[in-house]
Amino acid sequence: MAQTQASAAKRMKLEKKPANPVEEDETPSVFNPKYRVCPYLDTINRNLLDFDFEKLCSISLTRINVYACLVCGKYFQGRGTNTHAYTHSVGEAHHVFLNLHTLRFYCLPDNYEIIDSSLDDIKYVLNPTFTRQEISKLDQLQPKHSRTVDGVLYLPGVVGLNNIKANDYCNVVLHALSHVGPLRDYFLQKQSYAHVMRPPGDSVFTLVQRFGELMRKMWNPRNFKSHVSPHEMLQAVVLWSSKRFQITEQGDPIDFLSWFLNTLHRALKGNKQPNSSILYKIFLGEMKIYTRKIPPVELDDAAKAKLLATEEYKDQVEDKNFIYLTCDLPPPPLFTDEFRENIIPQVNLYQLLSKFNGSAEKEYKTYKANFMKRFEITRLPQFIILYIKRFTKNTFFLEKNPTIVNFPIKHVDFGDILGMRQRDKDVKDTKYNLVANIVHDGDPKKGTYRAHILHKANGQWYEMQDLHVTEILPQMITLTESYIQIYERCPNSS
């Protein structure tokens, strides 16, 4: 008798509807097998599905309990009666919905769960996953082109990024970082950073999650379209940079790259130690900076000699880490040639790198005093980022230096900028190959950015400018106004 009453109570509990219409009953409808097959699956329109934007209700703008209508692609809140999703399903006769958090499918207004393996492709597009075996083959096997629902062919990892308004300066950096092998491999697996301990309410970690989601979408072999929108990623950037970087105003890629790498490093609980995060393992190098103060010019020789003997004017040595190296371009010629035409000035990359050989000195002026500095690299990282300083600001305007930098694509030897002690140790590990090149075109304020990236698996170079992706010859890359370059240490450099 007691067992009969218990089973009856259990049955009544299952059949009882929630009092609050927004409240969810997440219990799968396993007890009713006929609800496993939905007659409305053929109304799903995969061409309209876009999971790159913020997961919020298109009416109430809430992020809680959001569903995607798989017929029109819009987002709505709730599933119970009087919710926006329920009203939409009745008003528009759209019946199939996906919970964007739990990845479960429902039919409205009947409110039953759909269990069907034909929907797995939609689930995968919303949340792509990669096994370690799949990741290990990305740079080894000849890549296969994938086909979108429209029949367009695309290559995973070489997909366009949507320019919402003026975020091309962010897009080129994201393109470049997506082809830094160890960084990409780390973020393709959620488990890599799932163990990172963070205090309650540490929402800056959202930036790490958004970057991981973007990497997985860019390398997704089963995308519905041949491009990705970085909208969610950039919303996190705007928020956590306190609106320093915007998607509606042009910015500087080197500022964004520096901020982004350092913020990711801190979000992953990195510290000053070289191996404290994946970012420092890949990009962190070490140098010595030698500084000497210059006595004022108006002093006579005796006064200068007296000053130079003091402690303040002696050489100071400082050990410093670096994420990127700033290369200074020589000033362009002021006059035209004999044919009254401006010849585009050119400079060799090795000439720019001589700044870091430990013997070349450069003067730095402050409002208080002048200093002479020289730089000596003591440790080269696995990936070297070069920033070629093209823009100079003064009180009145921003000026761009159009000098072309001549550089080899492969086997660039950075050994000459190493200190003598390190040069003997690291003689076999000083050659690098170019993997990404960011270019600025046009005027200093109104110009645009594009990126050249190398797909390692097929050895092909691609030019990426927002949604436009084209193949490019390596010889053409060296003719551009390079702004940021990323080099990778040769695997078998000798």
Side-chain angles (χ1 to χ4, degrees):
M1 182 71 179
Q3 286 183 347
T4 310
Q5 288 178 348
S7 60
K10 187 176 180 182
R11 188 165 60 253
M12 286 176 67
K13 189 177 179 182
L14 284 171
E15 292 172 355
K16 186 180 178 183
K17 292 185 179 179
N20 187 347
V22 184
E23 190 177 325
E24 297 299 330
D25 177 15
E26 295 296 352
T27 307
S29 306
V30 179
F31 56 84
N32 205 336
K34 69 178 183 179
Y35 285 158
R36 286 176 174 270
V37 179
C38 179
Y40 301 110
L41 293 185
D42 58 343
T43 63
I44 295 174
N45 191 344
R46 285 170 170 78
N47 290 306
L48 298 179
L49 300 185
D50 191 344
F51 300 124
D52 293 343
F53 293 94
E54 278 189 286
K55 311 296 189 293
L56 49 84
C57 175
S58 57
I59 297 174
S60 65
L61 302 183
T62 181
R63 292 179 171 80
I64 302 168
N65 204 21
V66 178
Y67 288 77
C69 173
L70 300 186
V71 182
C72 65
K74 294 179 181 177
Y75 297 167
F76 300 96
Q77 183 201 24
R79 199 176 81 236
T81 53
N82 299 326
T83 60
H84 297 301
Y86 185 93
T87 307
H88 176 75
S89 70
V90 174
E92 302 293 332
H94 294 175
H95 299 289
V96 190
F97 289 79
L98 167 63
N99 186 306
L100 296 175
H101 178 66
T102 63
L103 305 185
R104 289 160 72 169
F105 299 88
Y106 296 91
C107 182
L108 297 181
D110 297 338
N111 200 11
Y112 61 82
E113 184 176 2
I114 304 166
I115 301 172
D116 196 304
S117 59
S118 67
L119 303 175
D120 288 348
D121 61 329
I122 298 175
K123 203 183 294 186
Y124 190 85
V125 167
L126 175 58
N127 184 31
T129 54
F130 292 82
T131 64
R132 290 189 179 183
Q133 189 177 8
E134 289 170 337
I135 294 172
S136 65
K137 293 178 181 177
L138 288 177
D139 291 337
Q140 296 173 2
L141 299 178
Q142 186 69 17
K144 293 180 181 178
H145 281 77
S146 299
R147 194 179 295 274
T148 66
V149 289
D150 293 336
V152 178
L153 290 175
Y154 75 94
L155 194 61
V158 187
V159 294
L161 287 177
N162 189 27
N163 189 346
I164 300 163
K165 187 171 181 183
N167 55 278
D168 54 321
Y169 74 99
C170 294
N171 287 354
V172 289
V173 169
L174 297 173
H175 276 309
L177 293 179
S178 71
H179 285 265
V180 174
L183 188 70
R184 173 205 64 198
D185 296 349
Y186 179 86
F187 280 97
L188 284 182
Q189 272 198 312
K190 282 184 185 177
Q191 297 88 337
S192 303
Y193 48 87
H195 67 279
V196 176
M197 301 297 292
R198 56 188 190 277
D202 180 22
S203 48
V204 73
F205 195 75
T206 309
L207 197 67
V208 174
Q209 295 169 326
R210 293 287 178 267
F211 185 57
E213 289 168 8
L214 183 65
M215 287 294 105
R216 291 191 288 277
K217 287 178 179 178
M218 291 175 74
W219 285 89
N220 183 4
R222 292 183 249 166
N223 258 333
F224 287 167
K225 54 191 187 307
S226 60
H227 64 273
V228 173
S229 176
H231 190 272
E232 279 193 295
M233 168 76 214
L234 295 179
Q235 285 292 95
V237 167
V238 173
L239 179 64
W240 294 112
S241 67
S242 302
K243 299 185 180 180
R244 174 183 168 190
F245 301 103
Q246 297 278 358
I247 57 179
T248 54
E249 296 175 15
Q250 186 68 281
D252 193 333
I254 192 62
D255 289 344
F256 171 66
L257 177 63
S258 176
W259 173 86
F260 186 61
L261 293 181
N262 282 298
T263 306
L264 278 184
H265 171 71
R266 290 195 301 271
L268 291 169
K269 299 304 166 194
N271 50 41
K272 293 183 179 180
Q273 297 305 314
N275 292 326
S276 57
S277 81
I278 184 68
L279 283 309
Y280 272 20
K281 282 181 186 176
I282 297 171
F283 295 115
L284 193 71
E286 297 169 6
M287 66 163 69
K288 285 184 182 296
I289 302 177
Y290 301 88
T291 308
R292 63 183 179 89
K293 194 173 179 180
I294 305 172
V297 215
E298 61 271 11
L299 298 180
D300 57 24
D301 292 343
K304 282 183 183 178
K306 190 177 179 181
L307 274 180
L308 290 172
T310 62
E311 191 67 30
E312 185 184 354
Y313 282 83
K314 286 185 178 178
D315 278 12
Q316 307 290 328
V317 185
E318 183 185 8
D319 290 315
K320 250 204 163 162
N321 296 331
F322 65 87
I323 289 283
Y324 64 87
L325 297 173
T326 303
C327 298
D328 303 308
L329 287 172
L334 296 173
F335 304 104
T336 58
D337 64 350
E338 63 244 272
F339 301 107
R340 298 184 181 277
E341 293 179 358
N342 274 319
I343 296 177
I344 298 175
Q346 300 184 34
V347 65
N348 193 285
L349 177 66
Y350 291 109
Q351 187 179 333
L352 301 184
L353 293 176
S354 63
K355 170 184 175 181
F356 306 99
N357 62 11
S359 56
E361 279 192 319
K362 188 183 176 184
E363 185 176 356
Y364 290 83
K365 297 181 179 181
T366 67
Y367 69 96
K368 284 186 176 179
N370 297 345
F371 299 88
M372 294 298 289
K373 291 189 177 186
R374 54 192 177 94
F375 306 89
E376 181 185 37
I377 305 295
T378 54
R379 188 177 74 84
L380 291 169
Q382 184 184 356
F383 285 82
I384 297 177
I385 302 176
L386 294 185
Y387 159 48
I388 299 168
K389 194 174 180 182
R390 289 199 174 273
F391 301 107
T392 50
K393 291 181 182 178
N394 60 29
T395 315
F396 303 104
F397 57 87
L398 181 69
E399 189 177 7
K400 179 183 175 183
N401 189 331
T403 301
I404 299 293
V405 180
N406 297 317
F407 56 90
I409 299 287
K410 290 185 175 181
H411 298 100
V412 181
D413 194 351
F414 284 85
D416 291 341
I417 64 173
L418 268 177
M420 291 306 294
R421 293 178 184 175
Q422 284 72 27
R423 204 175 299 180
D424 296 335
K425 294 178 188 175
D426 304 332
V427 69
K428 293 183 179 179
D429 298 319
T430 59
K431 290 188 177 176
Y432 287 72
N433 294 333
L434 184 71
V435 294
N437 181 55
I438 293 174
V439 178
H440 180 268
D441 297 312
D443 297 332
K445 288 186 179 178
K446 298 180 181 178
T448 57
Y449 293 95
R450 54 196 165 104
H452 301 123
I453 57 99
L454 172 67
H455 198 296
K456 273 191 180 179
N458 60 4
Q460 175 65 51
W461 280 91
Y462 295 89
E463 183 174 275
M464 325 279 285
Q465 189 165 17
D466 298 329
L467 296 178
H468 304 286
V469 179
T470 53
E471 293 185 3
I472 187 172
L473 293 172
Q475 297 89 328
M476 301 300 293
I477 297 172
T478 59
L479 304 176
T480 57
E481 296 177 359
S482 296
Y483 190 54
I484 300 172
Q485 297 181 329
I486 302 180
Y487 289 87
E488 179 183 13
R489 182 182 283 131
C490 298
N492 298 312
S493 55
S494 58

